């Protein structure tokens, strides 16, 4: 397969009033690369991340993951592609409060064919253990912010996606917890960890996290400050 995991061309997202929210002429990501997206609050970082996941209605241009244009797909196929290939970590965790950590980590099992469910639940449990949450069976509402974020990471990785997209994953965490979570995001915790690590795109204000990325791009009012930085 091509070494390029992602190729973006002419991406534009506008508000209902026509204001440009994000405009990216080109952006590339190589397999196994860790890319940071930086910029002031309101610069369009999260909008760009969600657009790359195919979650922004009305986005225009090309977002090609492994040669497949996400924006050219019908909604159902786009959702299926995302479920198979992309893990998402949201800033506000988006966990199911009534469920415990293992159930949250394996939540996708409910949307998979029956034959795949046991393996996905087992992988969710294995990831929780790898992330230091072995035995955390209590409702996630009783977990700390750092523990909840680790559950979210386990959920994003349980189906072993080649791509992980994370929105402000260390926000509101203390320095030690943020450092540990950064290691979790960058680590290859899978059974095939001898191969190239997963591709990672992270939106963050955290300079320590951004310093550990292979490359950082910056947005200002939705536009890349230096488009040349987008070339992998």
């Amino acid at each position: 397969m091509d070494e390029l995991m992602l190729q973006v061309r002419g991406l534009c997202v506008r508000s209902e009033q026509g204001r440009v929210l994000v405009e990216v002429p080109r952006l590339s990501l190589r397999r196994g690369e860790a890319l940071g997206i930086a910029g002031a609050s309101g610069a369009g970082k999260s909008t760009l991340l969600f657009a790359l996941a195919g979650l922004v209605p009305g986005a225009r241009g090309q977002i090609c993951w492994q040669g497949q244009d996400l924006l050219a797909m019908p909604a159902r196929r786009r959702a299926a592609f995302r479920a198979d290939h992309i893990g998402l970590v949201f800033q506000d965790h988006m966990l199911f409060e009534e469920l415990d950590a293992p159930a949250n980590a394996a939540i996708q099992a409910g949307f998979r064919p029956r034959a795949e469910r046991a393996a996905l639940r087992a992988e969710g449990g294995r990831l929780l253990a790898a992330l230091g949450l072995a035995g955390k069976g209590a409702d996630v509402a009783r977990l700390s912010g750092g523990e909840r974020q680790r559950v979210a990471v386990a959920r994003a990785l349980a189906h072993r996606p080649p791509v992980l997209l994370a929105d402000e994953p260390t926000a509101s965490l203390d320095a030690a917890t943020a450092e540990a979570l950064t290691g979790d995001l960058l680590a290859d915790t899978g059974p095939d960890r001898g191969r190239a690590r997963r591709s990672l795109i992270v939106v963050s204000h955290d300079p320590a996290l951004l310093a550990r990325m292979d490359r950082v791009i910056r947005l200002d009012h939705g536009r890349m400050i230096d488009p040349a930085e987008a070339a992998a």
Side-chain angles (χ1 to χ4, degrees), residues 6 22 24 27 34-40 43-50 52 165-169 200-206 209-210 213 215-220 224:
L6 169 68
V22 167
V24 176
L27 176 65
L35 173 69
I37 303 176
K45 304 184 300 298
S46 295
T47 300
L48 173 56
L49 191 77
F50 295 148
L52 296 179
L165 307 181
D167 187 20
E168 298 284 6
L200 172 66
I201 302 180
V202 174
V203 163
S204 183
H205 287 98
D206 184 349
L209 174 56
L210 293 173
M213 299 294 103
R215 188 162 51 96
V216 176
I217 62 172
R218 299 185 182 277
L219 296 183
D220 182 21
M224 297 182 63

Side-chain angles (χ1 to χ4, degrees), residues 26-127:
R26 64 190 184 100
L27 176 65
S28 298
L29 181 77
R30 295 189 180 279
R31 189 180 311 279
E33 186 176 19
L35 173 69
I37 303 176
S41 296
K45 304 184 300 298
S46 295
T47 300
L48 173 56
L49 191 77
F50 295 148
L52 296 179
L55 290 171
V56 177
R60 296 291 182 266
Q62 291 185 325
I63 299 175
C64 295
W65 288 103
Q66 296 178 308
Q68 300 187 63
D69 187 354
L70 205 59
L71 299 185
M73 299 177 185
R76 181 169 296 192
R77 184 180 166 203
R78 187 184 311 148
F81 181 90
R82 185 167 49 246
D84 288 338
H85 299 280
I86 298 175
L88 285 161
V89 180
F90 299 95
Q91 184 174 352
D92 58 359
H93 310 140
M94 295 186 68
L95 301 179
F96 289 89
E97 302 292 332
E98 68 275 15
L99 301 179
D100 61 14
N104 267 282
I107 197 69
Q108 287 202 41
F111 304 96
R112 296 281 176 155
R114 187 178 300 274
E116 299 178 14
R117 294 174 186 174
L120 197 150
R121 291 190 182 101
E123 180 66 3
R126 189 192 67 76
L127 283 163

